[in-house]
Amino acid sequence: MLRISDLKLPLNHPEPALRAAILARLGIDDGELVDFAVFKRSYDARKKSAIVLIYSIDAELRDEAAVLARFAKDQHVGPSPDTGYQFVDAGRPAAGTPRPIVVGTGPCGLFVALILAQMGLNPLILERGKVVRERTVDTFGFWRKRKLDTESNVQFGEGGAGTFSDGKLYSQIKDPKHYGRKVLTEFVKSGAPDEIMYVSKPHIGTFRLVKMVEQMRAEIESLGGEFRFGTRVEDIHVAEENGVRQVQGVRLANGEDIPTRHLVMAIGHSARDTFEMLYERGVYIEAKPFSIGFRVEHPQSLIDVCRFGPNAGNKILGAADYKIVHHASNGRSVYSFCMCPGGTVVAASSEEGRVVTNGMSQYSRNERNANSAIVVGITPSDYPGHPLAGIAFQRELESRAFVLGGSTYDAPGQLMGDFVKGRPSKEFGSVIPSFRPAVHLTDLAPSLPEYAIVAMREAFVAFDKQIKGYYKEDAVLTGVETRTSSPIRIKRNDGDLQSLNTRGLFPAGEGAGYAGGIMSAAVDGIRVAEAVALAMAA
């Protein structure tokens, strides 16, 4: 196959125009083009009245060699790379080797388990939360009735935090081995729409993710994997062997001990009690930067017009997203994070007496409001001391939000104009917040450190120059967003991906500080699974 990239066509081009464009680009007759497929499709909306689609095409030709010779110096025409997944040649573990254990069933843990199962290594997967459908009932129950289950919520349970999200499947990570293609292929096999293989910013949405997670579990079980839900790892067993710390197994909350020498911790960014346990057991952990802020809601129609102009509402373009950043005069960076077009702001608490927000949308992205986290970057110098100090910092801000919201799990909120002008809000305007149970209008200034409030007030006004209409007096801010990423990193070696000081422990995914989002977490899961397979055969 031959890959053609940067092939541009008008937004509303007729279907035959793509084949014609391929023929014209290669200078060949119709009979020379055997077949073609869209590898990637994106768009350029910088000129709103003339948005163009940009294609990468894989084409099968009758005389590929001749065409490649003619385009030898053209960077946009060349052989299609092999993006198929190749399993590592690890060999079989020695007889009697305990099976590997994977802790956590977010995208990282699921892909660790899937790859290990596909390699015949029969992983045991432990999840403190419930199966995804039971977890969905508990989560919606919290949103409707304010009854929080601390083991079954937006953060904990089958599918991980990404289940209640926009289901974004794009990432800026470097992926020279095309692991991302393996992720997308498995998602399609599990029920995701085919278009995620080629659109530039694929997403799935919560309801489809639920079905996909169930299908992936069934696939893993059919290959010899075993799942245990409602099973929290309370401790790990570590012993010294030849002067080196080596994992020996885990202890569950019910007192059961399970032996293993290969333990993957894919625990997500909110498993604070597990972070504390690992630190107490001497596993090397360090603090890392993360971000704090609010969720911001605008009418989706406003964002569509700002981004797409007269093409707002076009089916191919869908609901518009945005990505903005402002470098404030106090030295802080303020930026959008996890933007959810046509979605809702959701309650993401996992601990009693604390309020946390996140964003979610369905595949259709057809809700009234657009929402995004607008956050301020912070570093360990903002919460100095203990490697786990970031957890304490998050908890303090989430407790403040709980009190400001009325101590009922309602979230504190404020209109954008009032926030910028430093006055409490008393009533909503044209933008009705989507957060459930409810938003309690107040003054958000006490919810975050002063440096964050000052930077965000400046940023909201500045953002209007990037997206006209963004500074909207009655846009709604909902607090607080604190779980942008893990506040710690469980450091691992670059080569074998094992803990710096504990052999057999494989820190993985977002909770360990090595991913940020569904796609990067899943890719990290593949990398870690390969490392486990190689270590088991060593």
Side-chain angles (χ1 to χ4, degrees):
M1 299 287 282
L2 177 147
R3 173 75 52 83
I4 309 164
S5 60
D6 202 38
L7 191 64
K8 298 178 181 179
L9 287 169
L11 173 61
N12 294 310
H13 70 81
E15 187 175 339
L18 183 54
R19 185 179 185 96
I22 296 169
L23 298 176
R25 179 71 177 86
L26 298 180
I28 59 176
D29 295 329
D30 187 78
E32 296 180 64
L33 178 58
V34 177
D35 198 7
F36 70 90
V38 176
F39 179 77
K40 191 67 67 179
R41 187 189 71 201
S42 59
Y43 60 79
D44 183 347
R46 286 175 294 181
K47 191 174 181 181
K48 299 180 181 65
S49 61
I51 296 174
V52 298
L53 298 179
I54 306 171
Y55 290 92
S56 290
I57 301 292
D58 284 333
E60 182 182 352
L61 309 179
R62 296 202 184 281
D63 192 351
E64 181 180 308
V67 174
L68 285 174
R70 282 196 291 114
F71 287 91
K73 295 183 179 180
D74 191 326
Q75 63 177 337
H76 296 301
V77 178
S80 299
D82 181 4
T83 59
Y85 181 69
Q86 303 294 325
F87 289 95
V88 293
D89 185 11
R92 302 302 301 171
T97 301
R99 62 179 168 171
I101 292 177
V102 181
V103 182
T105 59
C108 180
L110 283 175
F111 270 88
V112 175
L114 179 65
I115 298 299
L116 291 176
Q118 289 176 341
M119 296 181 72
L121 295 175
N122 305 322
L124 171 63
I125 304 100
L126 306 177
E127 168 58 56
R128 67 191 296 169
K130 299 179 182 179
V131 296
V132 67
R133 287 194 184 270
E134 293 180 22
R135 174 195 180 200
T136 301
V137 171
D138 293 336
T139 300
F140 277 75
F142 172 52
W143 295 345
R144 291 170 182 153
K145 301 178 182 179
R146 299 180 172 87
K147 184 177 180 181
L148 175 65
D149 184 333
T150 57
E151 295 295 307
S152 181
N153 47 62
V154 166
Q155 309 297 349
F156 298 141
E158 186 180 23
T163 304
F164 298 96
S165 72
D166 188 57
K168 298 176 187 68
L169 300 179
Y170 46 93
S171 174
Q172 296 180 335
I173 61 171
K174 294 180 180 178
D175 188 17
K177 295 186 177 180
H178 308 290
Y179 289 157
R181 199 72 179 170
K182 169 69 168 174
V183 173
L184 296 178
T185 299
E186 292 293 345
F187 280 159
V188 169
K189 191 166 77 171
S190 297
D194 291 343
E195 69 180 36
I196 70 170
M197 299 298 296
Y198 63 85
V199 295
S200 62
K201 294 182 178 180
H203 74 283
I204 299 175
T206 289
F207 288 161
R208 290 196 179 209
L209 278 165
V210 168
K211 296 177 182 177
M212 288 165 49
V213 166
E214 289 179 323
Q215 183 58 42
M216 289 188 70
R217 185 211 318 156
E219 171 75 5
I220 292 165
E221 289 176 330
S222 73
L223 295 170
E226 177 190 348
F227 285 81
R228 295 194 194 178
F229 293 96
T231 303
R232 182 170 56 84
V233 173
E234 189 170 78
D235 205 352
I236 63 170
H237 301 306
V238 179
E240 192 167 296
E241 295 182 358
N242 301 318
V244 177
R245 288 163 47 91
Q246 168 66 49
V247 165
Q248 305 289 327
V250 299
R251 171 161 292 178
L252 307 183
N254 65 6
E256 181 184 358
D257 291 312
I258 305 176
T260 188
R261 296 178 64 83
H262 302 90
L263 174 64
V264 178
M265 299 300 286
I267 51 180
H269 58 42
S270 294
R272 293 164 170 172
D273 51 357
T274 307
F275 295 156
E276 291 164 351
M277 177 272 290
L278 292 172
Y279 185 75
E280 289 171 1
R281 293 294 166 267
V283 175
Y284 183 82
I285 295 176
E286 64 183 22
K288 64 173 275 294
F290 60 101
S291 300
I292 55 174
F294 306 130
R295 278 275 152 184
V296 181
E297 290 188 89
H298 290 85
Q300 182 61 48
S301 57
L302 182 151
I303 303 301
D304 289 343
V305 171
C306 287
R307 292 279 283 115
F308 300 145
N311 288 295
N314 183 281
K315 185 177 180 180
I316 291 177
L317 298 175
D321 62 5
Y322 61 79
K323 188 175 183 180
I324 46 181
V325 64
H326 174 69
H327 301 289
S329 56
N330 68 355
R332 300 284 175 168
S333 291
V334 185
Y335 62 97
S336 59
F337 172 81
C338 187
M339 194 272 160
C340 297
T344 56
V345 179
V346 300
S349 300
S350 58
E351 295 178 331
E352 297 280 1
R354 299 189 171 99
V355 164
V356 187
T357 63
N358 195 11
M360 184 183 89
S361 61
Q362 300 302 340
Y363 174 73
S364 60
R365 288 178 166 175
N366 62 0
E367 299 294 334
R368 180 184 307 167
N369 293 345
N371 78 78
S372 176
I374 298 296
V375 293
V376 179
I378 60 174
T379 70
S381 63
D382 294 308
Y383 44 92
H386 197 277
L388 305 185
I391 296 173
F393 187 65
Q394 288 175 323
R395 281 173 165 158
E396 178 189 349
L397 301 184
E398 292 163 14
S399 295
R400 289 189 204 176
F402 181 75
V403 173
L404 283 170
S407 300
T408 61
Y409 291 109
D410 289 354
Q414 192 171 11
L415 305 191
M416 184 179 287
D418 292 336
F419 174 76
V420 169
K421 293 165 187 173
R423 64 192 182 204
S425 292
K426 304 220 171 147
E427 61 181 358
F428 297 109
S430 65
V431 181
I432 304 303
S434 57
F435 181 94
R436 295 292 177 269
V439 172
H440 175 75
L441 286 175
T442 183
D443 179 3
L444 283 173
S447 68
L448 297 179
E450 184 179 5
Y451 58 75
I453 299 297
V454 169
M456 293 175 75
R457 283 174 173 158
E458 181 183 315
F460 285 131
V461 177
F463 286 156
D464 203 65
K465 296 177 182 177
Q466 301 178 45
I467 301 176
K468 194 62 180 171
Y470 194 88
Y471 178 61
K472 181 174 170 57
E473 291 276 341
D474 63 352
V476 177
L477 316 183
T478 307
V480 288
E481 179 96 9
T482 53
R483 312 281 182 96
T484 54
S485 67
S486 179
I488 59 104
R489 178 170 286 113
I490 309 173
K491 289 208 72 175
R492 67 192 188 193
N493 295 303
D494 292 336
D496 60 19
L497 305 188
Q498 298 184 50
S499 162
L500 285 186
N501 70 342
T502 308
R503 301 292 299 170
L505 177 65
F506 295 81
E510 194 161 346
Y514 289 97
I518 293 174
M519 197 67 177
S520 60
V523 167
D524 196 59
I526 295 175
R527 295 183 63 220
V528 169
E530 293 178 345
V532 170
L534 291 168
M536 290 183 70

